[in-house]
């Protein structure tokens, strides 16, 4: 019954803040491969701005990138927005793999050059432990998870056993506490996308076994929506997100908005810019490639855009450049 309820409501986040009804903020966990592409930093900026505006309550941020710089880099962004109390969890804290091909320079730069309390990913909780701790305390069917990297943490959460946080197994805890997941990954109807390739087995596990609805924001959604340039002209050099973009794309340049579009939808729903597909089933091969099969009554969906790319980009960038604690509250959603 709980899953059926979630399916009917998945078009908008629980307690979705539309700006019209003074709804409660969406309870959200952000799961990111921070330190790879720079749109993860843009998504973190947008979440902080949305929290300032009362649209979302960020319960925690999880990193899935195997680098010691991911957690402190995230904390540097949160600290800049005066949200340094957001808990952060890490996959295998402090582990650095010289073969890690999902690492750019910006995470280390943010960790070393901007104020943060973490300093090293070894100093934060392991991601699954933090997931269980946070979820156990939330109202039933209330949490949205936005995952914009590999889905390793989610697969490990599903496999987790009862502990001091909850007597429920991971799958039971997810079914009881999570409303739905928005996952940046795959390409629809078929494709071969980076986030899935990071951990194809985990993506397949989530697609097959995750008990609540999953909405995929595919590669094609954010690939032609360019954001980031306004960070250089609308925010100060002290902004770590601006610094991340400058290192990754160069001063004054844009980047595709894969993670940013997914996070926007996770908090605010379609808002005339996105809609979800008819239900279906997504299958992932061992190499990370995917295909989609429509199936009435299923609880997997993918996003489609319903507005011009430039219009969407303008809305997204307005959130990305909003000053910390601006209190403007002037967005229409």
């Amino acid at each position: 019954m709980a899953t059926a309820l979630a399916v009917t409501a998945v078009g908008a986040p629980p307690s979705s803040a539309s700006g019209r009804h003074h709804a409660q903020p969406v309870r959200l966990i952000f799961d990111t491969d921070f330190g790879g592409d720079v749109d993860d930093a843009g998504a973190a900026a947008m979440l902080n701005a949305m929290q300032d505006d009362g649209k979302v309550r960020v319960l925690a941020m999880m990193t899935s990138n195997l680098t010691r710089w991911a957690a402190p880099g995230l904390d540097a962004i949160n600290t800049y927005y005066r949200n340094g109390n957001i808990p952060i969890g890490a996959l295998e804290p402090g582990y650095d793999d010289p073969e890690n091909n999902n690492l750019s320079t910006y995470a280390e730069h943010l960790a070393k050059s901007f104020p943060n309390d973490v300093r090293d990913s070894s100093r934060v909780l392991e991601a699954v432990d933090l997931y269980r701790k946070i979820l156990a305390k939330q109202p039933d069917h209330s949490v949205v998870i936005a995952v914009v990297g590999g889905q390793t943490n989610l697969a490990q959460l599903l496999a987790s056993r009862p502990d001091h946080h909850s007597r429920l197994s991971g799958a039971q805890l997810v079914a009881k506490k999570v409303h739905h997941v928005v996952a940046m990954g795959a390409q629809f109807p078929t494709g071969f996308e980076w986030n899935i390739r990071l951990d194809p087995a985990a993506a397949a596990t989530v697609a097959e076994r995750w008990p609540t609805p999953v909405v995929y924001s595919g590669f094609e959604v954010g690939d032609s929506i360019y954001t980031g340039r306004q960070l250089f002209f609308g925010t100060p050099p002290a902004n770590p997100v601006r610094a991340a973009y400058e290192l990754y794309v160069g001063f004054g340049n844009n980047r595709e908005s894969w993670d940013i579009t997914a996070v926007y939808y996770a908090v605010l729903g379609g808002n005339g810019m996105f809609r979800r597909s008819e239900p279906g089933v997504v299958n992932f091969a061992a190499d990370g490639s995917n295909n989609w099969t429509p199936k009435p009554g299923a609880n997997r969906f993918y996003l489609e855009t319903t507005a011009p790319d430039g219009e969407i980009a303008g809305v997204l960038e307005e959130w990305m450049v909003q000053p910390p604690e601006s209190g403007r509250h002037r967005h229409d959603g």
Side-chain angles (χ1 to χ4, degrees):
M1 180 178 294
T3 300
L5 175 64
V7 171
T8 61
V10 74
S15 302
S16 177
S18 67
R20 299 179 180 88
H21 303 297
H22 305 288
Q24 293 298 309
V26 174
R27 298 168 183 261
L28 183 135
I29 297 174
F30 180 51
D31 195 319
T32 166
D33 62 333
F34 190 89
D37 209 323
V38 76
D39 55 332
D40 299 79
M46 189 164 63
L47 280 174
N48 274 278
M50 288 177 168
Q51 177 152 300
D52 286 350
D53 269 22
K55 305 298 188 184
V56 67
R57 178 184 170 195
V58 181
L59 301 173
M61 293 187 177
M62 311 295 184
T63 72
S64 61
N65 199 338
L66 297 177
T67 169
R68 67 180 67 252
W69 309 118
L74 263 180
D75 191 54
I77 293 175
N78 296 342
T79 299
Y80 173 75
Y81 281 91
R82 304 182 181 96
N83 291 320
N85 61 334
I86 294 174
I88 296 175
L91 175 66
E92 299 186 38
Y95 178 74
D96 267 320
D97 182 355
E99 303 299 321
N100 184 358
N101 64 349
N102 189 35
L103 185 63
S104 65
T105 58
Y106 79 81
E108 182 174 359
H109 177 68
L110 268 55
K112 292 181 175 180
S113 303
F114 290 85
N116 71 88
D117 293 328
V118 174
R119 302 299 180 190
D120 190 291
S121 292
S122 63
R123 299 181 61 183
V124 303
L125 289 177
E126 191 270 334
V128 171
D129 187 43
L130 184 56
Y131 260 118
R132 293 186 59 86
K133 177 181 179 180
I134 295 293
L135 288 176
K137 298 176 180 178
Q138 303 310 308
D140 292 353
H141 316 301
S142 68
V143 178
V144 176
I145 297 175
V147 54
V148 298
Q151 296 176 26
T152 309
N153 290 329
L154 298 191
Q156 292 186 1
L157 172 61
L158 280 181
S160 64
R161 300 174 63 84
D163 59 8
H164 62 287
H165 298 306
S166 172
R167 291 178 292 180
L168 301 178
S169 70
Q172 291 169 331
L173 187 61
V174 166
K176 184 175 177 63
K177 299 297 184 177
V178 175
H179 187 272
H180 68 277
V181 169
V182 178
M184 192 282 121
Q187 188 171 6
F188 294 91
T190 61
F192 187 54
E193 189 272 326
W194 174 254
N195 281 351
I196 303 302
R197 290 162 57 194
L198 289 171
D199 193 340
T205 295
V206 171
E208 295 166 8
R209 302 180 191 173
W210 193 267
T212 76
V214 179
V215 181
Y216 291 90
S217 182
F219 175 86
E220 70 283 356
V221 174
D223 190 50
S224 56
I225 299 171
Y226 295 96
T227 55
R229 186 173 186 272
Q230 292 306 314
L231 288 166
F232 301 102
F233 307 105
T235 71
N239 181 355
V241 182
R242 170 178 163 166
Y245 271 76
E246 184 166 2
L247 279 171
Y248 199 88
V249 299
F251 183 89
N253 293 319
N254 279 316
R255 182 59 174 160
E256 289 88 344
S257 304
W258 299 294
D259 297 351
I260 297 165
T261 49
V263 165
Y264 180 92
Y265 182 83
V267 177
L268 297 176
N271 261 354
M273 301 193 302
F274 306 99
R275 67 185 174 204
R276 62 179 177 89
S277 70
E278 293 303 308
V281 175
V282 60
N283 292 297
F284 295 108
D287 66 354
S289 60
N290 71 275
N291 64 75
W292 172 262
T293 304
K295 182 181 179 181
N299 65 351
R300 304 295 187 251
F301 310 87
Y302 64 87
L303 288 187
E304 300 170 327
T305 58
T306 58
D309 290 344
E311 177 182 326
I312 297 173
V315 172
L316 300 179
E317 280 205 310
E318 186 178 358
W319 284 110
M320 291 169 65
V321 303
Q322 178 171 300
E325 294 184 347
S326 70
R328 291 182 297 169
H329 298 277
R330 63 185 182 84
H331 301 273
D332 62 3

